[in-house]
């Protein structure tokens, strides 16, 4: 299969490209910079220059591919406090891809997040849906393409997708904040929970979805269903040799910046249906085990 991948040089993309190539697929990666293009070429992928704002390019690329995986997201906007702009750009890009794929029967695997379902008061499952909202609109649009002749699936990523490839995600950001402040805090009792998954397990799930997921399904790339934020903060503190303490919700933005809402979210998540549907199971270490490794704490 010839696969067009957006975000191919990013965190999950850097695991997905080798995963696809090893399974015998061709990969065409979207690259917005010379550095990204060079990285993709070194990994054996073909390169298509452009970005999420190149809507004409996004409409043209699916015609030259047998399937599409959409990973790209404007994380730089999110980190600078312009989350709404990143969300809007993602939906516009998906609509360009969707227009090109409608009626073709080709697979489109898109990306969403389990954190959208924080506060349910129970463990989130693949069948959970929301009527609308940030990133929800994009997920619902993709799922709706199943009625327009596209074999769509959505992979919901947990708030921590961890591995030595994780350089700029939520956990390394928490580590940087803790190192700079000399303390690794959690909010309130820290009893709220995140799910987590290993990057390599997520990459395998994207491949399986591309190859065989039925149209209109949601998949969860989750290995750890529930890890408390206090556990994460204490593990980071122990590794850095800094104290751990509780802070109030009012104090959270000063320490966590744009992450403040996320670190106060409670979003335990199950992947039971995903495992059954695609015979997928996590094979790599969980988050706390991964945090015992040096790669998250090595400094230049």
């Amino acid at each position: 299969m010839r696969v067009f991948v957006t975000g191919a040089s990013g965190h999950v993309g850097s695991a997905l490209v080798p995963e696809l190539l090893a399974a015998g697929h061709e990969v065409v990666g979207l690259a917005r910079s010379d550095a990204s293009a060079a990285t993709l070429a070194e990994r054996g992928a073909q390169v298509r220059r452009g970005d999420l704002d190149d809507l004409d390019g996004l409409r043209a690329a699916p015609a030259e591919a047998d399937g599409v995986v959409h990973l790209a997201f404007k994380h730089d906007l999110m980190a600078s406090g312009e989350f709404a702009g990143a969300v809007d750009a993602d939906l516009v890009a998906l609509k360009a891809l969707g227009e090109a794929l409608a009626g073709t029967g080709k697979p489109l695997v898109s990306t969403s997040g389990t954190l959208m379902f924080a506060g349910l008061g129970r463990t989130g499952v693949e069948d959970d849906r929301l009527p609308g909202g940030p990133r929800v609109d994009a997920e619902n649009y993709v799922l709706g393409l199943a009625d327009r002749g596209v074999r769509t699936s959505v992979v919901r990523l947990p708030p921590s997708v961890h591995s030595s490839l994780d350089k700029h995600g939520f956990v390394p950001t928490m580590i940087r904040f803790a190192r700079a402040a000399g303390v690794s805090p959690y909010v309130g009792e820290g009893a709220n929970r995140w799910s987590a998954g290993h990057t390599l397990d997520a990459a395998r799930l994207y491949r399986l979805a591309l190859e065989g997921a039925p149209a209109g399904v949601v998949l969860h790339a989750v290995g750890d269903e529930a890890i408390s934020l206090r556990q994460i903060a204490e593990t980071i503190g122990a590794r850095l040799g800094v104290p751990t303490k509780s802070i109030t919700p009012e104090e959270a933005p000063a320490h966590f910046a744009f992450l403040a809402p996320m670190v106060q979210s409670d979003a335990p998540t199950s992947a039971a249906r995903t495992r059954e549907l695609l015979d997928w199971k996590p094979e790599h270490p969980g988050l706390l085990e991964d945090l015992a490794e040096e790669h998250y704490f090595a400094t230049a």
Side-chain angles (χ1 to χ4, degrees):
M1 189 182 298
R2 182 177 173 88
V3 187
F4 175 59
V5 181
T6 71
S9 60
H11 170 196
V12 177
S14 63
L16 178 59
V17 169
E19 175 77 21
L20 291 173
L21 292 172
H25 300 293
E26 294 180 59
V27 176
V28 180
L30 185 67
R32 64 178 179 175
S33 68
D34 291 341
S36 294
T39 297
L40 289 173
E42 289 173 2
R43 291 174 180 154
Q46 300 170 48
V47 176
R48 184 182 185 94
R49 294 303 296 266
D51 56 28
L52 292 187
D53 296 320
D54 178 16
L55 300 183
D56 288 339
L58 293 178
R59 293 186 188 99
E64 304 167 1
D66 302 307
V68 176
V69 178
H70 178 58
L71 292 170
F73 190 77
K74 293 187 175 184
H75 295 284
D76 52 341
L77 285 183
M78 182 178 71
S80 66
E82 297 182 43
F83 181 60
V87 166
D88 290 344
D90 183 54
L91 181 56
V92 170
L94 273 168
K95 287 183 175 180
L97 293 169
E99 290 169 11
L101 289 166
T104 65
K106 294 178 181 179
L108 167 63
V109 187
S110 190
T111 303
S112 186
T114 66
L115 212 53
M116 296 189 306
F117 296 92
L120 285 178
R122 59 169 173 78
T123 299
V125 297
E126 291 90 341
D127 286 338
D128 286 324
R129 301 286 190 275
L130 294 172
R135 302 217 74 175
V136 178
D137 292 334
E139 175 178 295
N140 290 344
Y141 171 75
V142 171
L143 294 175
L145 288 172
D147 295 327
R148 298 179 58 196
V150 187
R151 184 165 62 79
T152 56
S153 56
V154 173
V155 175
R156 288 179 185 155
L157 296 175
S160 174
V161 181
H162 56 89
S163 71
S164 60
L165 298 169
D166 178 20
K167 306 299 183 184
H168 306 289
F170 290 173
V171 166
T173 300
M174 291 171 68
I175 292 169
R176 287 195 295 273
F177 288 163
R179 180 178 275 125
V183 63
S184 179
Y186 51 89
V187 180
E189 296 182 358
N192 58 301
R193 298 153 294 174
W194 277 2
S195 56
H198 197 280
T199 309
L200 297 180
D201 291 324
R204 191 171 74 261
L205 180 57
Y206 276 96
R207 176 179 63 79
L208 292 173
L210 180 79
E211 293 172 343
V217 300
V218 171
L219 306 164
H220 285 175
V222 169
D224 295 311
E225 290 193 3
I227 305 173
S228 75
L229 269 292
R230 179 167 183 165
Q231 285 179 288
I232 296 171
E234 289 177 341
T235 303
I236 291 171
R239 288 304 313 271
L240 290 177
V242 302
T244 303
K245 70 172 185 178
S246 170
I247 60 175
T248 66
E250 293 74 22
E251 294 172 314
H255 179 89
F256 289 109
F258 74 96
L259 275 185
M262 289 77 158
V263 299
Q264 297 178 73
S265 298
D266 185 51
T269 308
S270 168
R273 185 174 179 227
T274 299
R275 297 183 188 210
E276 180 181 356
L277 183 64
L278 293 180
D279 194 25
W280 172 84
K281 63 179 181 180
E283 298 176 352
H284 294 86
L287 174 58
L288 297 183
E289 187 177 355
D290 214 358
L291 282 171
E293 301 296 329
E294 183 61 27
H295 62 82
Y296 269 121
F297 300 91
T299 57

